[in-house]
Amino acid sequence: MEPNKVQPEGGLNVTLTIRLLMHGKEVGSIIGKKGETVKKMREESGARINISEGNCPERIVTITGPTDAIFKAFAMIAYKFEEDIINSMSNSPATSKPPVTLRLVVPASQCGSLIGKGGSKIKEMRESTGAQVQVAGDMLPNSTERAVTISGTPEAIIQCVKQICVVMLESPPKGATIPYRPKPASTPVIFSGGQAYTIQGQYAIPHPDQLTKLHQLAMQQTPFTPLGQTTPAFPGCIIGRQGTKINEIRQMSGAQIKIANAMEGSSERQITITGTPANISLAQYLINARFRDVAAMWNDPSSMTTS
């Protein structure tokens, strides 16, 4: 047997890591009640299966182990997803069964080998396995990885994953890989009666962090006129280097903030804040706090730092 060749029945005992991108619902299906499903998958396949933490719409499932263990784990995942599809169809008028779909996360430097010259390799995979394979044209955000989507019957997916593993073993990643990390879900925050709440499903849950305190402080300030507020001196002091400070304030307050250029012969700029009353008051508080910090630095030059 040639080195780095994976035989259809499992073959070479090479340790490999495959990363999958899954939606929250898919992850819940893999974990199972009290973690029983993923525990069974680990025990029966012999592969290490890790699921990324965090309140994210997407999660990364990392499968590590000898190639035969990886194939067993993939088979169990594919058949579990097919089972979920069949169960969902029992309550649906749909007659044709949709395919099982898995998304691999692959270093972009290996995607050329997966596609092959003129698309020859990916075409060969499709024809020999019966699975549909798509390699994303763009890299996943803030990473050097791409999504490779495989869909079809569980049997077709398993055969396709085996062929992808062969390519990945024969063509290791080039250079450093920046792994894709899904971003946490941006949970909306509302203010009511001086308390901040996050929306979770149909319920408003009291927000645990400092937003409530900030909002209470903001409401104690003299409110800005929502459209147009002229502010004194310290040109650019709330903008920060390359806009870092003003972007921070925008993100924290949820308000839209526009800063006009200074009028000729004047050091003053007009700041326009728009948004809900809560957004505006919180933005105002944060801007005032920034002014106070800068004023303190002007009054005490020894405390000045570049910001």
Side-chain angles (χ1 to χ4, degrees):
M1 185 172 67
E2 290 178 43
N4 286 354
K5 285 289 182 186
V6 181
Q7 299 303 313
E9 61 272 14
L12 191 65
N13 226 19
V14 173
T15 298
L16 195 59
T17 295
I18 303 287
R19 281 153 51 82
L20 284 164
L21 188 56
M22 291 189 190
H23 295 299
K25 193 176 179 182
E26 294 170 327
V27 171
S29 173
I30 295 303
I31 294 170
K33 196 174 182 181
K34 296 181 181 176
E36 287 170 6
T37 306
V38 74
K39 185 185 176 188
K40 185 182 177 186
M41 286 180 178
R42 286 172 180 142
E43 288 171 355
E44 292 190 12
S45 70
R48 288 199 303 277
I49 303 172
N50 292 319
I51 299 164
S52 65
E53 297 292 331
N55 176 30
C56 302
E58 294 180 318
R59 307 273 283 278
I60 297 287
V61 177
T62 306
I63 306 173
T64 305
T67 49
D68 57 349
I70 283 176
F71 300 153
K72 284 177 190 170
F74 262 93
M76 294 180 81
I77 290 169
Y79 283 115
K80 180 68 177 80
F81 282 179
E82 186 181 52
E83 184 188 311
D84 293 342
I85 290 167
I86 292 166
N87 289 340
S88 68
M89 285 184 70
S90 62
N91 303 317
S92 163
T95 51
S96 59
K97 188 173 70 174
V100 173
T101 300
L102 295 179
R103 288 181 297 163
L104 307 188
V105 180
V106 177
S109 60
Q110 291 178 295
C111 287
S113 302
L114 284 178
I115 295 166
K117 195 171 183 180
S120 57
K121 190 67 190 173
I122 203 165
K123 184 185 177 190
E124 182 192 309
M125 283 186 200
R126 288 171 183 150
E127 289 174 352
S128 64
T129 66
Q132 282 298 313
V133 190
Q134 299 288 338
V135 178
D138 295 326
M139 286 187 274
L140 289 158
N142 305 312
S143 78
T144 57
E145 294 187 305
R146 292 190 197 180
V148 177
T149 305
I150 312 168
S151 57
T153 64
E155 295 79 12
I157 285 173
I158 296 157
Q159 291 305 317
C160 191
V161 167
K162 287 179 180 179
Q163 293 198 23
I164 287 171
C165 285
V166 170
V167 175
M168 291 176 77
L169 286 166
E170 290 178 338
S171 307
K174 299 174 188 74
T177 298
I178 301 168
Y180 173 58
R181 290 187 173 88
K183 282 190 174 180
S186 53
T187 310
V189 177
I190 60 169
F191 296 100
S192 177
Q195 168 71 50
Y197 296 87
T198 55
I199 306 302
Q200 294 180 14
Q202 299 176 341
Y203 303 98
I205 311 296
H207 204 288
D209 69 11
Q210 297 300 310
L211 280 174
T212 296
K213 288 180 183 174
L214 277 173
H215 179 60
Q216 288 168 346
L217 285 165
M219 295 306 285
Q220 294 166 13
Q221 308 290 319
T222 306
F224 269 173
T225 306
L227 291 171
Q229 173 72 26
T230 304
T231 60
F234 309 123
C237 74
I238 68 159
I239 298 172
R241 185 174 289 176
Q242 296 182 327
T244 51
K245 293 296 178 185
I246 193 66
N247 285 336
E248 219 173 79
I249 293 170
R250 284 184 182 115
Q251 286 174 4
M252 286 184 73
S253 66
Q256 290 182 308
I257 306 168
K258 292 181 182 176
I259 302 176
N261 291 328
M263 297 291 287
E264 194 175 333
S266 171
S267 62
E268 293 185 345
R269 297 188 184 200
Q270 188 180 58
I271 298 176
T272 304
I273 304 175
T274 53
T276 65
N279 294 150
I280 291 166
S281 59
L282 186 52
Q284 177 208 358
Y285 172 75
L286 294 167
I287 288 169
N288 284 343
R290 176 72 180 151
F291 276 135
R292 282 195 295 273
D293 290 345
V294 174
M297 285 192 283
W298 277 71
N299 292 329
D300 181 10
S302 65
S303 69
M304 275 197 185
T305 56
T306 304
S307 59

